[in-house]
Amino acid sequence: MSPALDSAAPSPPQRPATPRRRLLVPLTMAQLMVVLASTIVIVTLPALQADLGIADADRQWVLTAYALAFGGLLLVGGRVAELLGRRNALVLGLVGFASASVLGGLATTAATLFAARAGQGAFGALVAPAAFALLSSLFADVRDRGRAFAVHAALVGIGGVLGLVLGGALTQFLGWRWTFFVQVPLAAAALLAVAVTRLPAVSAAASPRVDLPGAAAWAAGLVALVGGVTRAGSHGWTDQGVLAALLVAALLLAAFARRQARTPGGLLPPRLVLDRNRAGAVLVVSLAAAALFGVFLMLTLYLQSVKGYQPVLAGLAFLPMSIGMIIGSTQVASWTLARLSPRAVMVPGLLAAATAMLMFTQLEPASSYMGLLLPAQLALGIGMGTVFMVAVHMATSGVRSGHTGVASGLVTSAQQIGGALGVALLGTVAVSTTAGSVGGSASLATAAPVAVVAGFAAAAWWGLGAVLLAAAAAALLVSNRAPQPYVAGGSARAAAGQPRPVRLGEEDASSVALAH
């Protein structure tokens, strides 16, 4: 041994590598928290509305504030995650999400509650892409990645169901504020898991440019659009404030589109939305989500305000729809898409959802749960679950690896934004129909059940129209060609058994699973 080597200082002890499966813990916990927040408040709507004195025309902001912030900022969150570093972005998002949850739990006014929900959505739009991008980077082998995605997707699906049941139980036994407070220990546990597992600080290959003016125009335009639709519920569609809000929304969204066409490296490359299949998938998801989110609002009010269900029972009553969506996305979509064209899968799925919406138009105060609500929920869940999964497949097919994340994030954004618009529109229709049937302004507390249910049935007709438009869009725009090999969470290459290592930074941080 040479003297130089013999006298060299000993190397510092290396920390043992964290088993990769343990790295799943903080990532799945973070995504579970985001999913839980989107469903846990659904069942608690009547209780918090009564406690805070929220008007019927404004109650949908409890749902839309979160959906708008999450969907509108998702693509921005992906870019910010790459700029800050994915682990740093995850930690920042978790801390911000927990803070917004505390604000929501302590809210004494409707405005504070809506701001808290928007805060949850904004920080969720940072957590979700950071977690998903870390998952993609840390599990480079195709087989390992498939297993990781399977665990991730399963927990996300469970989170959607758990949110409905947990929200009902917390509301009934502890009060609606605990549906916010419960998010804090979840965020703390995820932060602890980040530290304990020594989650590596994965950064992108290059720092991306964040188009702040484009993001501002996009977010402000969406808020103006939903605000105008919501105001129409209490002031009518010819109100000057409504018309002004809709005009501002049109101008801002047009400015966003123009900026994306002229700005290299913008939030949304125009070539992504100009593809016929991708545009069709995004349009279908937007319209279908509008109907689905509207049904969530309508049913939770119907079950508790008209049928008199306690919050726990109301949460359990939603389980058939959640189970149907899991079956549709994990079983029906994967089996049929391996054998049929995307169009041949999407259109029947949408027709099944349309059948469910037609059943909801027949709602009456004495409607049977087993005879009407149960089969309608199953049909809607299976149909929507199938459609959403195929839409993700279509949106990300034929996209360069560097743009896969943007394409999948676009579909998730479309789902959330379409859902926010659907809640606003269907909620407006329900409120105005109820008020019109009693000859003036009325609320759930004062209107007769027949008038209230008439509003829900009218909203269901609009939801039916949205689903039928989605079916027409799928028939006209989505491909009818023979499908490529389909593997949930994988690719045609993976299906052929050809693993390919994924280079660090290859996946865009705005990649996000269609979780809700």
Side-chain angles (χ1 to χ4, degrees):
M1 180 178 293
S2 69
L5 290 176
D6 187 49
S7 60
S11 300
Q14 299 294 319
R15 292 188 304 179
T18 302
R20 229 178 297 181
R21 63 180 179 274
R22 288 179 56 189
L23 298 176
L24 273 174
V25 175
L27 302 180
T28 53
M29 289 182 68
Q31 188 66 24
L32 178 65
M33 180 191 70
V34 173
V35 176
L36 199 65
S38 68
T39 58
I40 198 170
V41 299
I42 291 176
V43 177
T44 198
L45 268 176
L48 64 85
Q49 179 184 0
D51 191 25
L52 298 181
I54 302 175
D56 286 350
D58 295 330
R59 66 187 168 213
Q60 56 257 34
W61 280 108
V62 179
L63 302 180
T64 55
Y66 180 87
L68 269 183
F70 184 81
L73 297 176
L74 186 62
L75 297 178
V76 182
R79 298 296 179 89
V80 172
E82 297 295 343
L83 193 63
L84 298 178
R86 296 167 184 175
R87 185 182 64 184
N88 294 337
L90 181 63
V91 171
L92 176 62
L94 289 169
V95 172
F97 197 99
S99 302
S101 300
V102 171
L103 179 64
L106 298 175
T108 57
T109 65
T112 304
L113 183 73
F114 299 156
R117 286 290 286 165
Q120 285 184 322
F123 285 106
L126 185 58
V127 168
F132 196 80
L134 281 166
L135 194 69
S136 298
S137 299
L138 297 175
F139 294 85
D141 180 77
V142 171
R143 293 184 179 180
D144 287 345
R145 178 181 291 196
R147 296 189 191 101
F149 282 169
V151 173
H152 190 72
L155 288 179
V156 165
I158 292 171
V161 177
L162 179 63
L164 295 168
V165 178
L166 183 60
L170 290 172
T171 300
Q172 183 167 334
F173 298 115
L174 295 177
W176 65 265
R177 296 182 184 277
W178 283 93
T179 61
F180 288 88
F181 291 144
V182 75
Q183 305 287 342
V184 179
L186 285 176
L191 285 169
L192 179 62
V194 169
V196 170
T197 60
R198 295 193 285 268
L199 192 69
V202 181
S203 299
S207 296
R209 177 178 178 273
V210 180
D211 181 15
L212 293 179
W218 173 244
L222 292 174
V223 171
L225 178 59
V226 174
V229 174
T230 301
R231 181 180 172 86
S234 56
H235 293 76
W237 291 99
T238 58
D239 174 72
Q240 290 186 353
V242 172
L243 296 177
L246 297 179
L247 177 61
V248 169
L251 293 175
L252 287 171
L253 294 177
F256 170 77
R258 181 174 180 174
R259 182 173 179 83
Q260 297 312 297
R262 297 187 174 190
T263 304
L267 294 175
L268 187 60
R271 60 182 172 274
L272 284 181
V273 294
L274 293 178
D275 176 82
R276 178 175 172 176
N277 282 321
R278 194 168 299 110
V282 169
L283 182 57
V284 166
V285 165
S286 299
L287 291 168
L292 180 63
F293 280 55
V295 166
F296 273 125
L297 173 66
M298 177 181 66
L299 279 186
T300 192
L301 296 173
Y302 174 79
L303 290 171
Q304 295 183 70
S305 301
V306 177
K307 301 293 285 185
Y309 283 24
Q310 292 298 312
V312 170
L313 185 57
L316 293 172
F318 276 106
L319 287 182
M321 189 186 303
S322 299
I323 293 171
M325 292 191 72
I326 294 173
I327 293 173
S329 60
T330 62
Q331 303 299 318
V332 178
S334 59
W335 190 89
T336 56
L337 195 55
R339 295 162 175 81
L340 303 173
S341 70
R343 182 191 302 173
V345 178
M346 267 190 167
V347 173
L350 289 165
L351 292 179
T355 302
M357 295 304 300
L358 184 61
M359 296 176 69
F360 286 130
T361 65
Q362 306 305 307
L363 271 181
E364 296 178 355
S367 293
S368 166
Y369 180 84
M370 298 300 294
L372 191 150
L373 296 180
L374 176 62
Q377 285 193 73
L378 283 173
L380 185 64
I382 293 174
M384 291 294 191
T386 301
V387 168
F388 288 155
M389 185 56 68
V390 177
V392 173
H393 176 65
M394 292 302 299
T396 55
S397 294
V399 180
R400 287 189 307 159
S401 60
H403 286 157
T404 302
V406 179
S408 59
L410 175 62
V411 177
T412 307
S413 295
Q415 183 199 37
Q416 293 293 319
I417 293 165
L421 290 171
V423 167
L425 180 59
L426 269 63
T428 294
V429 169
V431 169
S432 57
T433 301
T434 297
S437 65
V438 297
S441 178
S443 66
L444 284 177
T446 59
V450 173
V452 173
V453 175
F456 297 156
W461 280 110
W462 282 73
L464 173 61
V467 175
L468 291 177
L469 285 176
L476 294 174
L477 298 176
V478 176
S479 174
N480 197 34
R481 292 180 296 178
Q484 297 177 350
Y486 172 75
V487 176
S491 65
R493 190 180 183 96
Q498 303 174 23
R500 176 185 63 81
V502 178
R503 293 187 299 274
L504 189 63
E506 184 179 71
E507 295 290 344
D508 191 290
S510 52
S511 294
V512 95
L514 187 63
H516 317 306

